[in-house]
Amino acid sequence: MTAPALEVASAAQLGQIALDVSLGVDAGRCLALAGPSGAGKTSVLRTVAGLLRPSRGRVRCGDEVWLDTERGVARSPDRRRCGYLFQNYALFPHLRGWQNVAYPLRGGKRSERRARAVELLERFEVGHLADVRPGTYSGGESQRVALARTLARDPRVLLLDEPLSALDARTRASAGRTLKRTLASSDIPTLVVTHDFDEAALLGDEIAVIDNGKILQRGTASELAAAPVSSFVADFTGAVVLNGMASPGPDGLTAIDLGGGATILSTEQGSGAASASVYPWEIELAPIDAPAVGSAQNRLVGRVVSSTTVANRVRVTVDAGQPVTAELTGPGARVLDLAVGQQIALTWKASATRLIER
Amino acid sequence: MRSRLGRAVARLFPVALIVAVAVTLVFLALPVIAIFADVSPKQLIDSLDDPATVDALRLSLQTTLTALLIILVVGTPVAWALATRRFRGRQILVTIIELPLVLPPAVAGIGLLAALGPKGILGPVLDSLGIALVFQTAGVVVALTFVASPFYLRQAQSAFESLDRSLVEASRTLGASEARTFARVACPVAFTSLLSGAALAWGRALGEFGATLVFAGSFQGVTQTAPLAIYAQFGTNFPGALALAAVLVAFSVAILGGVKLLGRLQPA
């Protein structure tokens, strides 16, 4: 086994948060650092780029050591060859598109630098912006020009800080695909920071969930969703988290007492204070007087709090002692004829219920 | 219930505002207008033939532009350092830099004499280097630089401080050193702010009187700048003084107008 292409360790006190993260990324792979804002994700990127000097830390890229606080090594940002895509894209307002992209290019004739810059712009389908200043760019155009500029320096590592958050919902999908294609063809390690789990799942080969300056769990999106190590990770992946007390139940299952007389079952083992997590798309809704169908062993009754349409799905939040969100298709929701305040039954399988001891 | 007095005040307030604005306008504009009203265009042009007047204008232009150049070349990096560095004593340094703003110009002149005059702290050093400032054109430049530099430094520092930090960081991650970032990104992006700071400093230097008079004296062609020439002439040659004043006013208006125009052209 060879060492990863990029190794980062960073420990620093950032206001209230004690950052202490260490990670490695292989060449050609993308690790998404995901977590709520203020968790310290961006500080990890800044450590790699040299924009933040941690009190203790080490950054190694390939065979170059960029930072080693123990040995007193700290290369300045301009000597690290990082492709850093800033959250607001940070295009230079006084330079035309091609001049922005050519900014990191040195030596050679002006015409050669221009040709190289235009080539990069065309690769991202924004060749027409070569002679236009950034003031008039749309969000998507800014992102593409910034990405072209980031790659112009032939970086050894790619650092993307919330690359899609400055875009409106419509542009985000296509910009996400552009980014995904770029990452797929890249042979350098990439770190991408995002507060959105779906974005992390789209861009990252792996996801590291960060909260309060620490990595809570690292794995593929499906690994995190299937076996979250904590209720925070479960919640972050979009699962419904129910808190209660676990004890041995019937048929070798675990019963979780949610309080208020409600009990649910899980096929996973555990006891004591625990969180049960279940994904919204695994929960079915039914009128409370309908007979039980199928093998779903968990049933809670509650009142509809809200129902929102997201793309072709409807998210229904129900107050069943604890809030539960179910996700169903539009036609399914119409059949139920949901109304806020209406009593409704939620059902799901014991095998879809993951158990996390607290 | 509002009292009768309260109602009267409420009714009169808009009127009082108009009166206050009118009084302010007349008070501030009248002296400026009077300069042009008192001197006919022919008189103005004739008096510009006077050697003392021509000398004063030439000297003013020469010394203020030299001072401005020094302020820009030395002051811009200083402002950058103050805007980007946090160090102990920084606040004290900023206060010292702003001191000439509140110092009476005559006091500034005395201070310069005590520091750089023949008997001043650095007098022997300057003397051994063969540099003489007192009663010399170079002394005028020193006095102008002293009183005008804070106007530029303050503006430039705040311009650099309000610069989007990610632009500077992006430049660094794109392989540019701090010096290159300063020259290629910080200064161009802050350009209009820096220019308006330079205009303010230039305006202040053009009007400088007290520090120049005390430190450099008032010798025609050597240290007698336009404001000093106006003072020297107005006892003996009032139309000449007026003509010079008119030229200075025109200059000041042009500078102020230029600054306002730049402020409007600056993209939001």
Side-chain angles (χ1 to χ4, degrees), chain B residues 6-7 9 30 32 48 63 65 76 86 96 145 164 175 181 186 189 194 203 240 242 254 256-257 259 265-266:
Chain B
R7 276 200 301 275
V9 168
L30 194 61
V32 177
L48 287 179
T63 53
L65 287 177
T76 312
R86 291 290 172 270
I96 290 172
T145 307
D164 181 355
T181 301
V189 174
L194 297 182
L242 269 180
L256 193 63
V259 170
L265 289 179
Q266 188 169 28

Side-chain angles (χ1 to χ4, degrees), chain A residues 46 78 94 103 106 153, chain B residues 165 169 171-173 180:
Chain A
R46 295 175 65 83
D78 46 310
H94 60 298
Y103 188 84
R106 299 290 179 81
R153 203 188 171 196
Chain B
R165 217 177 82 185
E169 292 181 339
S171 169
R172 298 304 307 276
T173 63
R180 190 175 157 88

Side-chain angles (χ1 to χ4, degrees), chain B residues 2-264:
Chain B
R2 282 157 84 185
S3 67
R4 263 173 60 192
L5 183 66
R7 276 200 301 275
V9 168
R11 218 174 26 249
L12 284 177
F13 189 66
V15 181
L17 281 184
I18 292 169
V19 172
V21 170
V23 168
T24 306
L25 201 65
V26 169
F27 178 70
L28 293 182
L30 194 61
V32 177
I33 295 165
I35 289 171
F36 289 94
D38 256 26
V39 55
S40 73
K42 182 172 181 319
Q43 260 180 309
L44 208 157
I45 291 165
D46 284 350
S47 65
L48 287 179
D49 278 346
D50 180 49
T53 303
V54 174
D55 276 351
L57 283 174
R58 182 189 48 75
L59 190 70
S60 260
L61 218 54
Q62 179 197 334
T63 53
T64 55
L65 287 177
T66 311
L68 192 62
L69 190 69
I70 294 169
I71 291 169
L72 291 181
V73 170
V74 180
T76 312
V78 168
W80 172 254
L82 289 175
T84 55
R85 305 283 196 279
R86 291 290 172 270
F87 50 87
R88 279 185 60 186
R90 177 178 173 277
Q91 212 43 53
I92 295 170
L93 190 61
V94 170
T95 308
I96 290 172
I97 284 172
E98 288 178 353
L99 203 57
L101 286 178
V102 292
L103 217 55
V107 174
I110 295 280
L112 285 173
L113 267 180
L116 307 174
K119 296 190 178 115
I121 299 172
L122 293 181
V125 180
L126 292 176
D127 196 40
S128 67
L129 292 170
I131 299 171
L133 297 174
V134 176
F135 305 140
Q136 303 295 326
T137 306
V140 178
V141 173
V142 168
L144 297 185
T145 307
F146 184 82
V147 297
S149 57
F151 286 82
Y152 178 72
L153 284 170
R154 268 164 57 108
Q155 174 82 12
Q157 187 191 331
S158 86
F160 287 138
E161 273 168 0
S162 61
L163 209 63
D164 181 355
R165 217 177 82 185
S166 67
L167 292 180
V168 174
E169 292 181 339
S171 169
R172 298 304 307 276
T173 63
L174 291 167
S177 63
E178 189 190 4
R180 190 175 157 88
T181 301
F182 170 72
R184 294 282 308 271
V185 174
C187 287
V189 174
F191 184 70
T192 45
S193 282
L194 297 182
L195 208 59
S196 81
L200 286 174
W202 195 21
R204 174 66 185 89
L206 270 176
E208 218 300 303
F209 180 82
T212 314
L213 183 64
V214 172
F215 185 58
S218 178
F219 299 103
Q220 188 191 326
V222 182
T223 69
Q224 195 180 75
T225 56
L228 293 171
I230 291 171
Y231 185 71
Q233 286 185 17
F234 96 114
T236 55
N237 175 16
F238 193 65
L242 269 180
L244 252 179
V247 173
L248 274 190
V249 167
F251 240 99
S252 307
V253 168
I255 291 173
L256 193 63
V259 170
K260 297 272 178 201
L261 201 65
L262 271 174
R264 266 214 299 205

Side-chain angles (χ1 to χ4, degrees), chain A residues 285 304 307 314 316 328 333-340 342 344:
Chain A
L285 292 178
V304 175
S307 129
V314 179
V316 182
L328 54 164
R334 274 196 296 281
V335 169
L336 284 168
D337 191 23
L338 291 165
V340 170
Q342 180 190 339
I344 200 144

Side-chain angles (χ1 to χ4, degrees), chain A residues 101-107 112-114 116-117 152-153, chain B residues 174 180:
Chain A
V101 177
Y103 188 84
L105 304 177
R106 299 290 179 81
E112 286 166 8
R113 290 200 302 272
R114 188 191 149 99
R116 168 91 179 110
R153 203 188 171 196
Chain B
L174 291 167
R180 190 175 157 88

